[in-house]
Each structure stands twice: as structure tokens, then as C-alpha cells.
Amino acid sequence: MKEKDYEYIAKVEKAIEDKYGEETIQNPRANWDENKEKEYLEQIKDLQQKQRKISEAKDKVEVDGILMSKKLLSKDSKRACPVCETYSFQIKDDVYMNKFECCYGCYVQWVEGREERWESGWRPKEHLKNEKDYEE
């Protein structure tokens, strides 16, 4: 077995230190303490939880002979407007449904320009929902 050339190793370490800094040649355990160990273990736990959630979302379930993602089965869809009770597949309705809990048509009629009132909980009364000219 060939003996180690300690002078060569020292020269390589010195060159690495000069180029990248002193921390690159230190023993990784030199700056390790109990607090860093606890922090590291917490990071591992968080990573494991995230990986578990991702794997659960990718799990497949058999429904009527077809494998479907669990993620698709648990998703609630907001397609019916709670104000006018119309059912829509339009993408623009999804945006207003998420932000204002109404479809685009109701947004134009009841919300636009009166966002503060809508956010405070105001909703049109039943007999006013069908009136297009209603302004308050």
C-alpha cells in the first residue's frame, strides 16, 4: 500500500483554504452544538411531514374500476353561485367565486364599486336578486 503524501495533502488544503475560505477545510463537527442538533431534527420532522402530505396526495383510490387520485376526490367544487344559484363552468366565475363568493354576473350587479359593503356581509334580498336595475 502506498504511503500518504502529507505534504501534498497540506498543500491541497492550503490551496482550497486560499480559494474558498477557512470554513471549507474545517471539520463539520467543529461548529456543531445542542441547539443546532435540535434545529436540524426539527427540520427533518418538517421535511418528513411535507413528504407524507405529498405522498398522500399522490395516493390512488379505485372508484368504479378506475384509479383516481385522493386529491381529486376530496376537492369541493364551488360551481354554484350562492347569490343567484346559477351553475357555471367559466373560469372568470372561479376568480370571483374565490374572492367574493359570487359569480361574475353577481359581481358586476351587486359588488363592483361596493366591495367594502360586500366584505362586511351585505347580500341582496331574495326579491331583489332578479331585478337588474336595482341600485343602492
Side-chain angles (χ1 to χ4, degrees), residues 54-98:
I54 289 170
S55 108
E56 286 174 1
K58 290 181 180 180
D59 283 347
K60 305 287 184 193
V61 177
E62 186 176 341
V63 177
D64 296 330
I66 299 171
L67 288 176
M68 294 183 69
S69 172
K70 279 186 179 180
K71 185 178 176 182
L72 293 173
L73 294 175
S74 63
K75 212 178 221 182
D76 292 330
S77 105
K78 295 181 180 179
R79 291 286 180 193
C81 175
V83 179
C84 66
E85 299 173 358
T86 57
Y87 193 81
S88 173
F89 285 106
Q90 296 181 4
I91 294 174
K92 67 181 177 182
D93 285 339
D94 290 342
V95 173
Y96 293 99
M97 195 70 73
N98 288 333

Side-chain angles (χ1 to χ4, degrees), residues 27-54:
N27 185 337
R29 293 183 184 178
N31 296 323
W32 200 256
D33 60 4
E34 288 294 320
N35 290 334
K36 286 188 179 182
E37 181 72 20
K38 288 178 184 177
E39 199 175 300
Y40 173 73
L41 292 174
E42 285 297 319
Q43 289 174 356
I44 289 176
K45 287 178 186 178
D46 291 344
L47 179 65
Q48 183 62 31
Q49 287 175 347
K50 287 178 184 178
Q51 288 176 341
R52 191 177 306 120
K53 284 181 183 178
I54 289 170

